[in-house]
Amino acid sequence: MDSAYLIECAGLLLRWLHLIVGIAWIGASFYFIWLDDSLKEPTDPGLIEKGVGGELWAVHGGGFYNPQKYRAAPQTLPQELHWFKWEAYSTWITGLLLVSTLYYVQAGSYMIAPDKALQNPAAAVGTGIATLVGGWLVYDVLCRLLFKRSPLLFGLVYGAFVIAMAALLDHLLAGRAAFLHIGAMLGTTMVANVFFWIIPGQKKMVDAMRRGERPDPIHGLRGKQRSVHNNYLTLPVLFAMISNHYAFTYNAPHAWLVLALIMIAAVLIRHFFNLRHKGVYVWSYPAAGAAILLATLVWIAPAPLAGTAAGKAPSLLQVRTVFDARCIACHSAHPTLVAAAPNGVRLDSDAAIRAAAPRIYQQVVQLKAMPLGNVTHISDDERDLVARWYRGGAQ
Ligand code: HEC
């Protein structure tokens, strides 16, 4: 087994695992937000006496469930208490391994691009890691400073910071890596919230109760603040994580603004659902979110290629010179820039090129997503040649 194959296998297994544990984490988090907002005051005097402040009846998978939330805490804590933390931790660990395998090990093709400021792969990797750590430190300081201020003020200040980071990374790194690292920065912040604040706060509360003392409510308040922030970050993070499949977003001119607009739309839509759980329907939020999304997609639609005038369509032999120069460093049986031919697309034989013709046209002409980060410096004339070849029947 060669190292290229091993990298591919590691990528597959890590991505799969990352997705599974990520679903478990975000799923549990969505469930608890919904549960909290859907609780009804109990009418049963027995429950009220026990200190239950809210309950809910649900049916799922053939069983009836009746979760109850205590106003403060039960008189005595049961020995066994389930903690929700490994979902978050394992999402972060698999995510870090995945970004290392795909982006840091292959930094020359994934982290840098000729039109971006950083040209040294090691410096690009350093920038990526510094973003994850620095993003958390700035967030944490802002949280402490603005703890007693309005959540909206915090949201605006932190939102401005995230947008500034998007602009900075878009300037320094390949667009694909910039988007992914904004997502990874937010994801790291969410997990650090769980690790440094939410779980330790809960531990302090439980310890106080086991000692027979009243827990200090500040731990609950701080945990709640962080948990609300995590909730608003989920949709933006998930977009950033899938964005690497959509080159027309991260390769657009002013890509940082595209990312910012999509994230703002995501937060507005999330806000609608948070209010809806409480029975308040403010349709202007999702309407504004959808309008921003739509306007962004219309704004970044690639312009049709000019200069594809009539004339004899180029032959396969002619376009192969383009592919040989610009593509096979990645798309061949033995690529030099990446571990293995990406997405199984090989452009080193006539048959393979003909078979991939529609995808080539889409990637090179319509989306301008390939060559990746234009590391191989394809020219507009060459794109034009590929366009005329495809429109002439790709013969
Ligand atoms: C630096 C490496 C690199 C170069 C050079 C490169 N590609 Fe790619 N290509 C990739 C990667 C990575 C992917 C996978 C992208 C993804 O999954 O989002 C890909 C995916 C593709 C796909 C598949 C898209 C799909 O439908 O799934 C096509 C087609 C493609 N490239 C064509 C080309 C052509 C044509 C060229 C040359 C003009 C080229 N590529 C140059 C790295 C490269």
Side-chain angles (χ1 to χ4, degrees):
M1 267 192 279
D2 60 7
S3 62
Y5 183 66
L6 288 179
I7 291 188
E8 284 288 290
C9 290
L12 162 68
L13 297 176
L14 285 169
R15 194 187 290 260
W16 196 7
L17 198 59
H18 184 57
L19 205 63
I20 294 167
V21 288
I23 288 172
W25 178 27
I26 303 301
S29 143
F30 276 12
Y31 172 72
F32 274 101
I33 296 264
W34 172 85
L35 179 65
D36 230 22
D37 289 339
S38 311
L39 294 171
K40 300 265 177 313
E41 286 221 10
T43 45
D44 179 351
L47 286 182
I48 299 172
E49 180 145 346
K50 267 193 342 186
V52 172
E55 65 163 341
L56 174 107
W57 280 95
V59 55
H60 183 82
F64 294 91
Y65 295 80
N66 177 213
Q68 303 169 351
K69 184 179 179 185
Y70 286 78
R71 213 167 257 118
Q75 255 104 44
T76 49
L77 272 184
Q79 267 315 308
E80 210 182 325
L81 200 53
H82 183 82
W83 295 76
F84 288 85
K85 57 183 179 185
W86 277 106
E87 297 87 343
Y89 301 163
S90 50
T91 303
W92 187 75
I93 293 166
T94 50
L96 194 69
L97 292 174
L98 192 56
V99 77
S100 306
T101 312
L102 298 180
Y103 285 80
Y104 300 163
V105 171
Q106 313 179 80
S109 12
Y110 283 85
M111 295 291 288
I112 60 179
D115 56 339
K116 296 301 171 81
L118 285 185
Q119 290 302 316
N120 176 331
V125 171
T127 305
I129 294 172
T131 301
L132 306 188
V133 180
W136 159 247
L137 294 178
V138 171
Y139 165 86
D140 196 50
V141 167
L142 286 178
C143 263
R144 289 165 196 247
L145 288 179
L146 299 175
F147 181 55
K148 298 215 172 76
R149 302 297 182 94
S150 86
L152 182 64
L153 178 70
F154 175 87
L156 292 176
V157 174
Y158 183 59
F161 165 71
V162 174
I163 294 173
M165 282 302 293
L168 178 68
L169 290 195
D170 186 30
H171 174 71
L172 295 175
L173 302 177
R176 186 183 161 110
F179 274 36
L180 191 97
H181 275 83
I182 292 297
M185 175 184 93
L186 300 178
T188 299
T189 295
M190 290 166 69
V191 175
N193 269 339
V194 176
F195 185 78
F196 290 114
W197 289 92
I198 298 174
I199 294 291
Q202 285 173 189
K203 280 222 166 75
K204 286 191 187 118
M205 290 167 72
V206 167
D207 288 347
M209 286 165 64
R210 292 235 151 96
R211 286 195 306 268
E213 297 164 12
R214 268 180 69 116
D216 186 346
I218 188 72
H219 302 304
L221 290 174
R222 284 205 188 113
K224 183 77 194 162
Q225 178 205 28
R226 308 273 172 151
S227 169
V228 168
H229 294 167
N230 279 8
N231 172 256
Y232 281 99
L233 290 178
T234 44
L235 300 195
V237 166
L238 290 177
F239 166 72
M241 293 302 163
I242 59 167
S243 67
N244 59 70
H245 298 288
Y246 303 99
F248 61 93
T249 58
Y250 63 72
N251 275 347
H254 312 296
W256 62 274
L257 189 55
V258 173
L259 180 61
L261 288 169
I262 294 179
M263 288 189 163
I264 289 169
V267 167
L268 289 171
I269 291 169
R270 185 67 226 165
H271 189 52
F272 167 77
F273 281 97
N274 287 342
L275 292 177
R276 200 196 71 154
H277 295 332
K278 299 191 175 98
V280 184
Y281 287 76
V282 188
W283 287 101
S284 50
Y285 287 117
I292 292 173
L293 272 183
L294 207 67
T296 308
L297 294 178
V298 170
W299 171 46
I300 60 176
L305 206 72
T308 42
K312 202 169 164 301
S315 66
L316 185 58
L317 201 66
Q318 284 172 286
V319 286
R320 264 199 87 153
T321 60
V322 176
F323 299 150
D324 285 348
R326 314 296 180 200
C327 314
I328 60 165
C330 294
H331 292 284
S332 60
H334 301 288
T336 50
L337 288 179
V338 289
N343 292 19
V345 175
R346 279 174 49 183
L347 303 173
D348 50 3
S349 76
D350 287 356
I353 292 173
R354 284 208 181 91
R359 291 165 89 190
I360 295 173
Y361 178 69
Q362 185 189 41
Q363 297 293 325
V364 176
V365 179
Q366 293 180 307
L367 301 175
K368 297 204 174 83
M370 289 293 142
L372 189 72
N374 200 7
V375 285
T376 48
H377 304 275
I378 197 172
S379 69
D380 283 347
D381 286 346
E382 287 169 329
R383 286 194 204 274
D384 193 52
L385 192 80
V386 175
R388 285 188 289 125
W389 163 73
Y390 179 74
R391 290 176 196 164
Q395 290 309 306

